[in-house]
Amino acid sequence: MTIAISMKINDGVILASDSAATIMVPDGGVINIYENANKIFNLYKGYPIGAITWGSGSIGQSSISTLAKDFRDLIRGNTEYTIDPENYTIEETANKFKKFIYDVHYQKEFKEWKTKPVLGFMIVGYSSNQLLAEEWKIDIINGECKGPYQIRQRHEIGLTWNGEPEAITRLYLGFGTGLHAILQNAGLEKNKIDEIINLCRNNLTVPMVMPSMPVQDAIDLAIYLVDTTINFAKFAPGAPTVGGPIEVAAITKHEGFKWVRRKHYYDENLNKLARRD
């Protein structure tokens, strides 16, 4: 799995993730877990459009990272995926990305799989001539795709985490992901369960994300949450499906997409002219 964070504040969006990638087989089993996957992407070089992924690390023989870069090439060419850099929306970008990833690749490659892998994306950034950023989500669960749908309105701020939710859910919301099942097993009716969970959210949530917090502080918080999840997975029972280097990118109105933390399999000093990340 992974931990994939999108944090929206007034001044932009922070994307942060671990680097673990789980490789699966058609029966749903896990072959291996690697710790150097790329999960954050600049979908249009030079423009404030980014994406973060969780779930399956590949579709067929192509990693999600490679497919994201394939899409990046397509939107800059004369194709059905072309995006006008002077007049585009994040919603338009998310819809074209969904068509490329799900309609063209996912459905074809996983058609015969009995247990289809989970895969998700957040497409975030600034539409043309907009003052505030947007976040659009794509969920692929049991082979069915939901979205893209907008997570929150432009004027709203907040934190979204996907992948392995337990650590941040407990830390941020104040209760674990198993609370609903516990209350259900105790014999409570649905309306009472919803009431209790809403009470917990309203009274236990720690408001770490503030509208006017500086970008650097938002970055520090995102790193802390990813690091906490990595260590939670390390010491909790089960396979450590969250791990590896932490990667972070910030997307702001004036600076655009900027890497804050980024790993490379090559020496940057030897390959400055060849960079395509």
Side-chain angles (χ1 to χ4, degrees), residues 1 18-23 30-37 39 240-244:
M1 288 293 288
D18 70 321
S19 296
T22 303
I23 307 302
V30 175
I31 298 177
N32 209 334
I33 299 172
Y34 297 106
E35 291 193 342
N36 288 284
K39 303 178 183 181
T241 54
V242 184

Side-chain angles (χ1 to χ4, degrees), residues 103-158:
D103 298 355
V104 175
H105 291 281
Y106 184 98
Q107 287 189 308
K108 175 184 176 182
E109 293 295 341
F110 297 123
K111 181 179 180 181
E112 304 301 326
W113 283 42
K114 181 179 179 181
T115 302
K116 295 178 173 58
V118 170
L119 181 58
F121 299 90
M122 292 280 285
I123 313 298
V124 307
Y126 288 80
S127 298
S128 298
N129 304 313
Q130 290 296 327
L131 299 177
L132 298 171
E134 301 168 43
E135 300 164 292
W136 292 79
K137 188 177 182 183
I138 299 170
D139 281 317
I140 306 174
I141 301 173
N142 297 324
E144 300 295 325
C145 184
K146 178 184 178 183
Y149 58 95
Q150 194 168 13
I151 290 295
R152 53 183 62 89
Q153 298 299 312
R154 288 195 189 104
H155 67 277
E156 297 176 325
I157 62 98

Side-chain angles (χ1 to χ4, degrees), residues 8-268:
K8 185 173 180 292
I9 57 174
N10 286 347
D11 279 348
V13 181
I14 310 302
L15 299 177
S17 76
D18 70 321
S19 296
T22 303
I23 307 302
M24 302 178 66
V25 290
D27 65 359
V30 175
I31 298 177
N32 209 334
I33 299 172
Y34 297 106
E35 291 193 342
N36 288 284
N38 296 317
K39 303 178 183 181
I40 300 174
F41 319 104
N42 183 191
L43 286 185
Y44 201 125
K45 296 289 282 185
Y47 287 84
I49 309 174
I52 190 168
T53 185
W54 60 93
S56 178
S58 62
I59 298 177
Q61 295 180 313
S62 298
S63 69
I64 299 301
S65 174
T66 293
L67 289 170
K69 292 173 183 177
D70 288 344
F71 176 78
R72 187 168 66 193
D73 287 341
L74 288 173
I75 64 177
R76 298 184 67 172
N78 186 22
T79 71
E80 62 183 306
Y81 301 101
T82 301
I83 292 174
D84 181 357
E86 303 304 319
N87 184 26
Y88 68 88
T89 66
I90 299 301
E91 180 180 10
E92 171 198 6
T93 306
N95 276 303
K96 290 183 176 182
F97 187 78
K98 176 262 180 185
K99 180 178 180 181
F100 175 76
I101 287 290
Y102 179 72
D103 298 355
V104 175
H105 291 281
Y106 184 98
Q107 287 189 308
K108 175 184 176 182
E109 293 295 341
F110 297 123
K111 181 179 180 181
E112 304 301 326
W113 283 42
K114 181 179 179 181
T115 302
K116 295 178 173 58
V118 170
L119 181 58
F121 299 90
M122 292 280 285
I123 313 298
V124 307
Y126 288 80
S127 298
S128 298
N129 304 313
Q130 290 296 327
L131 299 177
L132 298 171
E134 301 168 43
E135 300 164 292
W136 292 79
K137 188 177 182 183
I138 299 170
D139 281 317
I140 306 174
I141 301 173
N142 297 324
E144 300 295 325
C145 184
K146 178 184 178 183
Y149 58 95
Q150 194 168 13
I151 290 295
R152 53 183 62 89
Q153 298 299 312
R154 288 195 189 104
H155 67 277
E156 297 176 325
I157 62 98
L159 173 68
T160 303
W161 59 99
N162 293 284
E164 295 281 0
E166 191 66 35
I168 298 178
T169 300
R170 292 188 180 200
L171 178 67
Y172 192 76
L173 298 183
F175 57 91
T177 58
L179 179 59
H180 187 281
I182 290 171
L183 296 175
Q184 189 175 45
N185 292 337
L188 274 66
E189 296 182 355
K190 183 180 182 303
N191 61 341
K192 190 62 178 179
I193 293 174
D194 292 341
E195 178 185 344
I196 292 172
I197 289 180
N198 285 332
L199 280 170
C200 289
R201 282 180 176 271
N202 293 334
N203 292 280
L204 298 178
T205 296
V206 181
M208 297 181 182
V209 182
M210 305 300 290
S212 59
M213 67 191 305
V215 171
Q216 183 60 62
D217 290 282
I219 289 168
D220 293 344
L221 174 56
I223 292 171
Y224 165 69
L225 293 174
V226 174
D227 186 59
T228 298
T229 303
I230 289 173
N231 282 289
F232 186 92
K234 177 180 178 181
F235 293 108
T241 54
V242 184
I246 296 173
E247 294 199 314
V248 185
I251 305 174
T252 60
K253 177 184 175 183
H254 294 291
E255 287 75 28
F257 183 103
K258 295 294 184 182
W259 284 108
V260 178
R261 285 193 182 186
R262 180 65 165 159
K263 63 183 179 296
H264 293 289
Y265 62 84
Y266 54 81
D267 188 318
E268 291 185 80

